């Protein structure tokens, strides 16, 4: 029994009832003007529904009164963009007016019927009811008196659900709006993945360098070397904080320009950080790195950073050869180091996957893995 009464305890049931009553106000005003033609308001809804802004107003009202507790109501608040949207708005207005009339009839006459049945069970003279005529009073009508109220309650709940379903169908997003929403959601996911890669590359690199340098300083037992290592850790930490500020700035300010991220013009900073960790780095940078397009240069920097981080993390102490060249309309980036024993295991998986994803997003290609006794990361990125 409680389950059947639960819908009557929800506030949404009564906001939907108000939503159904609203169109009847227009009809009531018109009946004071011309009671002989009550169909005129329904006729007027046709040109009104063709106005683009009406769909937006109806959508806002439907969201507020039909689905007040739902974050994703499935009801659009955009104005009509096509004739299909306009026609659906017209059908919605007519359906809303029709269901409003039915609701008003039931909520007015069902209580009247209940009162008449109760009076008929007591035996006094009946008032003139044009719908329900009781010829002879009888005590048995007392058992029927609650029935109209039950019908009214069920109708209020049912018609509220029906108008909500119609709102989602007739005021729901069009195909173009759904496509735009899907594209926006895809852009958000891509942006979140990019930010995750930024955090992984910058913070992961800084932590790896700091751990390697701290371990080397403790093992060396040389105060001078320890001072240099601490200075390098400080510099690496400061650079990581700058990168973290950039990423957090992107999260806080969606319009923040991507140009604030580091580029290959700052590759020397990565090389010096790796060298300060005790790794011998033989670097060869050629070509106009400063002229590399921004997206390619920024992703190239992150690829180089991840490759050097992997050298420090998985092949501590081995020398690394770095080659960055700009020529023939492409950027070639290669990092090689002798294969350590044992071979790099699954720990490199996320970093190598990030390198391949960055290359693929720019239409390039990446080769990672053993090559002629070395571990190689070789990436080719088109400049145009």
């Amino acid at each position: 029994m409680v389950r059947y009464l639960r819908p009557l305890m929800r506030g949404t049931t009564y906001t939907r009832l108000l939503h159904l009553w609203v169109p009847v106000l227009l009809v009531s005003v018109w009946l004071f003007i011309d009671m002989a033609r009550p169909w005129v308001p329904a006729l007027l809804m046709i040109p009104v529904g063709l106005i683009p802004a009406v769909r937006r107003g109806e959508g806002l009202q439907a969201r507020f009164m039909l689905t007040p507790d739902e974050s994703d109501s499935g009801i659009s608040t955009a104005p009509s963009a096509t004739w299909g949207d306009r026609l659906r708005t017209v059908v919605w207005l007519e359906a809303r007016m029709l269901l409003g009339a039915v609701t008003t009839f039931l909520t007015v006459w069902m209580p009247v019927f209940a009162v008449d049945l109760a009076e008929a069970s007591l035996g006094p003279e009946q008032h003139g009811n044009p719908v329900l005529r009781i010829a002879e009073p009888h005590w048995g009508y007392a058992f029927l008196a609650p029935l109209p109220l039950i019908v009214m309650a069920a109708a209020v709940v049912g018609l509220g659900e029906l108008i909500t379903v119609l709102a989602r169908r007739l005021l729901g997003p069009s195909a173009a709006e759904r496509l735009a929403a899907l594209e926006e959601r895809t852009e958000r996911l891509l942006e979140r993945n990019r930010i995750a890669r930024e955090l992984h590359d910058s913070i992961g690199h800084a932590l790896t360098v700091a751990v390697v340098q701290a371990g080397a300083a403790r093992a060396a037992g040389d105060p001078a070397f320890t001072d240099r290592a601490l200075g390098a850790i400080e510099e690496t930490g400061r650079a990581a904080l700058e990168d973290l500020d950039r990423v957090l700035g992107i999260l806080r300010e969606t319009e923040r320009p991507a140009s604030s991220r580091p580029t290959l013009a700052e590759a020397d900073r990565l090389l010096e950080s790796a060298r300060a960790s005790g790794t011998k780095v033989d670097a060869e940078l050629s070509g106009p790195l400063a002229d590399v397009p921004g997206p390619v240069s920024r992703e190239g920097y992150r690829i180089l950073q991840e490759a050097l981080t992997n050298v420090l993390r998985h092949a501590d102490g081995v020398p690394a050869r770095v080659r960055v060249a700009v020529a023939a309309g492409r950027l070639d980036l290669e990092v090689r180091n002798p294969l350590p024993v044992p071979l790099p295991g699954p720990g490199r998986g996320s970093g190598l996957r990030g390198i391949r994803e960055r290359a693929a997003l720019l239409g390039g290609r990446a080769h990672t893995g053993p090559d002629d006794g070395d571990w190689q990361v070789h990436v080719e990125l088109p400049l145009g």
Side-chain angles (χ1 to χ4, degrees):
M1 183 65 179
V2 176
R3 185 181 65 178
Y4 295 108
L5 294 177
R6 191 173 295 126
L8 297 176
M9 306 300 172
R10 294 200 303 258
T12 305
T13 300
Y14 301 100
T15 59
R16 290 174 177 176
L17 176 60
L18 290 174
H19 186 270
L20 286 165
W21 275 343
V22 168
V24 183
L25 296 177
L26 175 63
V27 177
S28 300
V29 172
W30 173 256
L31 291 179
F32 281 106
I33 301 173
D34 188 352
M35 189 173 293
R37 288 177 286 187
W39 45 264
V40 171
L43 186 63
L44 291 176
M45 290 299 103
I46 297 176
V48 170
L50 299 178
I51 302 173
V54 170
R55 181 170 180 258
R56 177 180 176 83
E58 290 293 318
L60 289 170
Q61 188 181 156
R63 275 193 180 185
F64 179 71
M65 302 186 76
L66 299 181
T67 58
D69 301 323
E70 299 180 25
S71 57
D72 185 12
S73 63
I75 300 173
S76 174
T77 57
S80 299
T82 64
W83 279 104
D85 292 341
R86 293 181 175 91
L87 292 177
R88 287 196 301 156
T89 305
V90 171
V91 174
W92 159 255
L93 291 174
E94 299 293 348
R96 185 182 176 190
M97 185 167 288
L98 175 62
L99 291 179
V102 174
T103 303
T104 302
F105 175 84
L106 292 174
T107 53
V108 170
W109 285 102
M110 289 300 106
V112 173
F113 294 165
V115 171
D116 284 351
L117 289 170
E119 289 182 347
S121 68
L122 298 175
E125 182 180 354
Q126 301 298 305
H127 300 288
N129 188 330
V131 179
L132 178 65
R133 297 183 181 275
I134 300 176
E136 183 178 348
H138 189 276
W139 61 267
Y141 287 119
F143 296 100
L144 297 178
L147 185 60
L149 299 180
I150 295 174
V151 171
M152 181 186 69
V156 167
V157 175
L159 290 172
E161 293 289 344
L162 178 58
I163 194 67
T164 304
V165 171
L166 288 177
R168 291 192 174 104
R169 297 277 296 183
L170 299 174
L171 297 178
S174 63
E177 290 171 340
R178 286 194 295 269
L179 179 60
L182 180 60
E183 291 176 347
E184 182 181 354
R185 191 177 302 114
T186 302
E187 288 295 326
R188 286 200 302 268
L189 289 175
L190 290 174
E191 181 67 11
R192 290 169 66 178
N193 288 335
R194 186 182 68 77
I195 291 173
R197 288 195 301 268
E198 290 283 326
L199 288 172
H200 173 272
D201 292 347
S202 61
I203 306 304
H205 173 79
L207 291 176
T208 299
V209 170
V211 169
V212 171
Q213 289 170 339
R218 184 175 60 178
D222 182 357
F225 182 84
T226 301
D227 287 341
R228 290 196 301 273
L230 290 175
I233 291 174
E234 180 184 6
E235 180 62 28
T236 302
R238 186 176 292 112
L241 287 175
E242 292 176 359
D243 284 343
L244 183 60
D245 284 341
R246 291 189 184 99
V247 175
L248 294 178
I250 294 172
L251 288 172
R252 287 191 297 263
E253 305 171 29
T254 56
E255 301 300 322
R256 183 177 178 132
S259 58
S260 61
R261 294 161 53 201
T263 65
L264 281 174
E266 303 172 61
D268 288 340
R269 188 179 76 176
L270 291 177
L271 300 176
E272 290 304 320
S273 176
R275 291 183 180 121
S277 303
T279 298
K280 182 180 178 181
V281 180
D282 180 15
E284 178 186 346
L285 309 179
S286 61
L289 293 180
D291 296 336
V292 175
V296 179
S297 186
R298 288 188 289 270
E299 297 302 322
Y301 177 93
R302 291 305 186 193
I303 290 172
L304 177 60
Q305 184 180 54
E306 182 59 37
L308 289 174
T309 301
N310 284 336
V311 173
L312 296 173
R313 185 181 298 155
H314 302 287
D316 183 22
V318 303
R321 298 190 300 276
V322 176
R323 184 176 68 87
V324 180
V326 178
R330 73 180 188 186
L331 169 68
D332 280 349
L333 191 153
E334 184 181 61
V335 178
R336 302 177 70 97
N337 61 272
L339 280 172
V341 180
L343 293 177
R348 279 198 182 190
S350 61
L352 298 180
R353 184 169 58 250
I355 290 174
R356 290 190 288 267
E357 288 176 354
R358 290 181 185 276
L361 285 174
L362 293 173
R365 56 182 180 176
H367 169 74
T368 58
D371 180 71
D372 195 20
D374 290 341
W375 183 272
Q376 178 195 50
V377 173
H378 186 202
V379 177
E380 298 178 2
L381 302 177
L383 299 181

